Amino acid sequence: MSFFRKVDSDSESESSEEEELLSSEDEGQDAKPSAPKKGSAFLRSDGSSDEDSDDDSDSDDDDDDDSDMDSDVEGGQKKAPVNKFLRGAVSDGSDSEEEVKKIIKSAKDKRADEVQAVIHSIQNAQRIDDWVAISKEFDSLNRLCERQKNVGEAIPSSYIKALVELEDFLTASIAKEKQAAKKMKAPSAKAMNGMKQKLRKTIKENEESVASYRKDPEAFEAATAQAPAEAPSASRERAAAGDAPAGEAADASEEFQTVGRGGRAIAISSEALFKTMATIMEARGRKSTDRAGQIDTLNKLSEVAVSTYQKIRVILALLAVRFDYNASVQAYLPADQWEAARKDIDALLAIVAEDASYVIQEDTEEYDDQIDRLPNQDGEGEIVKVRGSITTFLDRLDDEFTKSLQNIDPHTPEYVERLSDEKWLYSTIIRAQHYFEQRSLDDALDRAVVRRLEHIYSKQEVITHALEAACSDAYATTKSRFCPEPAQIAQKGGATKLVHALCVRLYRSRGAAAERARTRAMLCQIYHHALHAYYQLARDMFLMSHLQEAIAMADAATQILYNRVVVQLGICAFRVGLIRESQTALQDIFGSGRVKELLAQGLQRSGQYNTITPEQEKIEKQRQLPFHMHINLELLECIYLVGSMLLEIPNMAFAGNDPELRKRVISRPFRRMLDYTDRQIFSGPPENTRDHVMQASKALQNGDWQSSVELINDISIWKLMPNADKVKKMLAKRIQTEGLRTYLFTYASYYDTVSFDHLSATFDLTESEVRAIVSKMIWSEELPASLDPFKKVIVLHRAELSKVQQLAQALADKVSYTLEQNEKTLAAETAKGAGDGKDRAAGDRERNDGGGPRREGRRTGGGGGRGRGRGRSQFTHSFIGQKV
């Protein structure tokens, strides 16, 4: 026993010291105290009595542990001295007077204090008429009360009191503002108007409580203080147990709830419709958002929507969520979601067309979006303006359709099947156009007209007729005031009338925002005329528009359309037999070597000297046109090469061995191809378009026009051109004509006279045709000859220079060159010595001689060759070489 007594005594002293240290550390750190040491536990088990401090209701479990440590030790031993810094220790009177008691509040009291603090902030803002602060604090107050409802606490009476006081203050402020000479500032006025809607909605939700408070404020506050807080689930539990009234149980059974992510219940009912929509719209753009779940929830909300306003709001939210289905910009909307979005737009147009008291606009006044809005009620006018944009959804629908065509392989049946949906999209665009026209929404109408125009400007007339016939149901409701009737569109030339009517509507639009629409309308109409072989009309419109002067400042999509128009003009000129005009239009684009990129029909290949970043490649992919809108590049190359052949072969024969004339090149790409063909040792049968044109060119140089015609007619790509037989006949006639001109240029030096009969038999032309061709060559000074009408021959004149004349001409050329070099040197030296501002004439001469146009006829050797300045193009353009 003595052994144990000794151990007991030692452990007691050690444990008390350790407990004092641990307690002081815990008090400083405000953490839970550590468990007592095992030694002290043995001491308490040896008959010591534990005294719990249960009387103090505000103490924690830590106080109980401290009281156990301070208990008496068995055997009548004296208590150990207690550290006054320990919790629960009894101090003397002087210390207790200076001690500050710590008040611990429950979470419920803290929430009540927060509500009181916000109400106090609102009252302070009322004293200075700060409506911006009142609006902000009022939102905070509603959020706090909503939180109290969620945790099952009753709404405090101070909240209802604040609503009543705020309503009275708002009424007085509105009356005061009407009589005031100096109006309040715009932010305060806007905040006060917004508070009208917010307060009206909040009071409507707490209508019974507000009425009770106004009737007897003291009785209401007393009843609220005595009423216990009920949990939100009490009614549902009573309904499940059978204790709820019959009507309440029936309502609980009729309404159902959808549980979303995180276990949050989503109410599907007309009463909670706006709140559920607000929850869904707040989750837009987050990574963890379940977009498919949002779409399902909104579809259910559309079924329970009762009023017109509710239906409009649900469809607008549903369309926004549908277009957010793909997070990636490159990905396109699935076909089923696209079709559902199109039907939603049709349904929205049907609703607003049927009920004229609602209109959807992008710019509206501030309103409360959590209450149902009815015409001529609660401060609303005859027309209720809902914030939204049908045009934006229409543009997005069209863009998603184009994006899907860009990403689908055009050589598969899937592309054709997807392209068949264009008629439904076109029908939706027509419905939107009629609605905008009916409501006089000019800006939205212009955007819808542009979309409709871009779907038909590049189509042949038969395709446009089929597209319009498939959308006959879109004309059933209303008729357009500026578009022709469907019966007129179905007639011959009706597609051109429709394009003209749409373009005229866009020409009449005014404003800076309509500038792009007018430009694109002009280009679309020119393209349409050129596609249908109205070359003179398309050319005149192109020249009068002066688009080539400002097109460099336009956006990339408009520049692409401009390039397509220029190319289509060249094709149209070729179809009507204007070879030189066609060559002029196509020269710049083929000279650049980037035909695909300029027409947005392919991407630029990355090479050693042209590298593009991945971001640029993504942008270029987004600009690519769908395959069905492409201009066939093989046909375009064939047209360009054939036109170059008909112009270059006579030009090369006319130049002969003259070095000055040989510098005149019409088509450098054609010259390079022809030189490459001449260098080939062996030429096999033609395999592609280039081979056919090159061999036809060689035959035409040799005077074998029959072989040239056969080679050109054998090109298989002609079948893609409208009226191909007519084009082939035109080409055969032109080859005969150019063959005759090439023959005369080549062999004129070997003849004194040439009879008309010989030329007519050789080139299968009539005598009058030969006479007309030769007369034109003589008039343009291309052929030094004269006609003998009696002998029916061409008398050729050869003006051969004598030896003295040749030497004199060579000397004059050398003297002229030496004089020009001396003038340049003198001007440079004069400018260097005189400095800036002196001898400007010398500087101007230097610049003019160095890089400007040379004055013709100044010296004897400065003139051009024969025919210089003849045969200029009938129209000019500046081709856009921007990378697209």
Side-chain angles (χ1 to χ4, degrees), residues 422-657:
E422 185 178 13
K423 59 180 179 292
W424 308 119
L425 174 61
Y426 188 72
S427 177
T428 302
I429 294 174
I430 293 177
R431 287 191 178 94
Q433 175 193 329
H434 289 170
Y435 168 72
F436 296 145
E437 185 178 358
Q438 183 182 3
R439 293 298 181 90
S440 299
L441 303 174
D442 294 334
D443 294 338
L445 177 60
D446 292 343
R447 292 169 64 179
V449 168
V450 169
R451 289 287 176 176
R452 183 178 181 182
L453 181 63
E454 290 179 350
H455 277 276
I456 61 174
Y457 82 95
S458 61
K459 290 180 172 60
Q460 295 287 346
E461 189 172 18
V462 60
I463 302 177
T464 304
H465 289 167
L467 192 62
E468 289 285 336
C471 304
S472 58
D473 56 340
Y475 295 96
T477 56
T478 57
K479 294 182 180 180
S480 176
R481 294 189 295 268
F482 59 87
C483 289
E485 298 292 333
Q488 298 177 354
I489 298 176
Q491 297 176 358
K492 186 177 181 180
T496 303
K497 293 180 180 178
L498 176 60
V499 171
H500 177 74
L502 296 176
C503 292
V504 169
R505 172 65 184 82
L506 294 175
Y507 297 155
R508 293 175 179 174
S509 59
R510 292 293 177 264
E515 181 65 28
R516 182 178 184 272
R518 291 195 296 267
T519 301
R520 294 187 67 85
M522 176 64 72
L523 293 172
C524 288
Q525 190 171 11
I526 295 172
Y527 188 99
H528 184 78
H529 288 322
L531 184 65
H532 292 79
Y534 303 135
Y535 175 74
Q536 283 76 14
L537 180 59
R539 179 200 59 192
D540 294 344
M541 289 184 63
F542 185 84
L543 294 176
M544 289 187 297
S545 65
H546 298 282
L547 292 175
Q548 61 273 19
E549 299 175 2
I551 195 62
M553 305 299 295
D555 57 294
T558 305
Q559 291 185 12
I560 291 170
L561 181 58
Y562 176 85
N563 295 345
R564 286 167 53 82
V565 167
V566 172
V567 168
Q568 195 62 240
L569 276 172
I571 296 175
C572 180
F574 186 86
R575 289 169 59 186
V576 298
L578 302 174
I579 304 299
R580 187 172 293 278
E581 288 77 2
S582 173
Q583 183 69 19
T584 304
L586 301 178
Q587 179 65 42
D588 291 340
I589 186 170
F590 275 94
S592 65
R594 298 185 295 112
V595 182
K596 285 184 179 181
E597 291 78 14
L598 294 173
L599 297 179
Q601 297 181 189
L603 297 177
Q604 180 181 0
R605 294 182 179 180
S606 298
Q608 182 179 1
Y609 301 102
N610 50 356
T611 57
I612 57 176
T613 61
E615 290 75 12
Q616 291 176 346
E617 186 176 358
K618 289 179 182 179
I619 294 174
E620 289 186 5
K621 283 184 178 180
Q622 294 175 5
R623 294 172 181 168
Q624 299 303 303
L625 294 174
F627 182 76
H628 68 281
M629 296 182 65
H630 285 190
I631 298 174
N632 191 283
L633 298 181
E634 186 178 357
L635 177 62
L636 190 62
E637 184 184 24
C638 180
I639 291 173
Y640 175 73
L641 292 179
V642 171
S644 300
M645 178 191 73
L646 295 176
L647 295 176
E648 274 289 6
I649 297 301
N651 179 55
M652 293 169 65
F654 172 70
N657 296 324

Side-chain angles (χ1 to χ4, degrees), residues 307-309 312 352 355-360 372-375 382-386 435 439:
S307 63
T308 302
Y309 179 73
I312 292 174
V352 294
D355 192 349
S357 58
Y358 290 90
V359 62
I360 301 174
D372 198 357
R373 302 170 63 198
L374 299 174
E382 296 181 357
I383 304 296
V384 178
K385 297 180 180 180
V386 185
Y435 168 72
R439 293 298 181 90

Side-chain angles (χ1 to χ4, degrees), residues 205-395:
E205 293 177 352
N206 303 275
E207 189 173 1
E208 296 180 0
S209 300
V210 172
S212 300
Y213 182 84
R214 286 188 179 278
K215 187 176 181 180
D216 192 352
E218 295 180 359
F220 178 79
E221 290 181 358
T224 305
Q226 295 177 0
E230 295 185 359
S233 60
S235 60
R236 291 196 296 271
E237 291 176 356
R238 291 197 304 269
D243 298 335
E248 186 178 351
D251 295 340
S253 62
E254 289 176 0
E255 296 182 359
F256 60 92
Q257 289 185 342
T258 302
V259 178
R261 273 194 172 184
R264 297 183 62 183
I266 301 175
I268 307 296
S269 63
S270 59
E271 292 78 9
L273 184 139
F274 297 112
K275 187 178 296 185
T276 305
M277 286 176 52
T279 304
I280 292 175
M281 300 310 289
E282 287 177 0
R284 285 185 62 192
R286 299 178 183 173
K287 291 183 178 180
S288 59
T289 302
D290 183 11
R291 296 179 178 85
Q294 288 183 340
I295 292 173
D296 294 338
T297 303
L298 289 173
N299 282 327
K300 293 176 182 178
L301 288 178
S302 63
E303 297 175 0
V304 300
V306 179
S307 63
T308 302
Y309 179 73
Q310 289 181 348
K311 294 178 181 178
I312 292 174
R313 287 287 308 282
V314 171
I315 294 178
L316 288 174
L318 184 58
L319 285 169
V321 173
R322 286 193 191 279
F323 287 121
D324 289 344
Y325 189 82
N326 289 324
S328 176
V329 180
Q330 286 77 24
Y332 60 91
L333 201 65
D336 55 344
Q337 291 293 335
W338 183 89
E339 181 63 21
R342 188 193 65 80
K343 291 180 179 179
D344 290 338
I345 294 177
D346 288 344
L348 183 61
L349 290 172
I351 291 173
V352 294
E354 182 179 357
D355 192 349
S357 58
Y358 290 90
V359 62
I360 301 174
Q361 292 183 354
E362 295 183 9
D363 298 329
T364 59
E365 296 180 355
E366 292 293 333
Y367 60 85
D368 188 2
D369 57 356
Q370 297 296 317
I371 60 174
D372 198 357
R373 302 170 63 198
L374 299 174
N376 298 321
Q377 295 185 15
D378 298 331
E380 299 289 346
E382 296 181 357
I383 304 296
V384 178
K385 297 180 180 180
V386 185
R387 188 181 298 108
S389 178
I390 300 178
T391 314
T392 301
F393 290 134
L394 195 67
D395 294 344

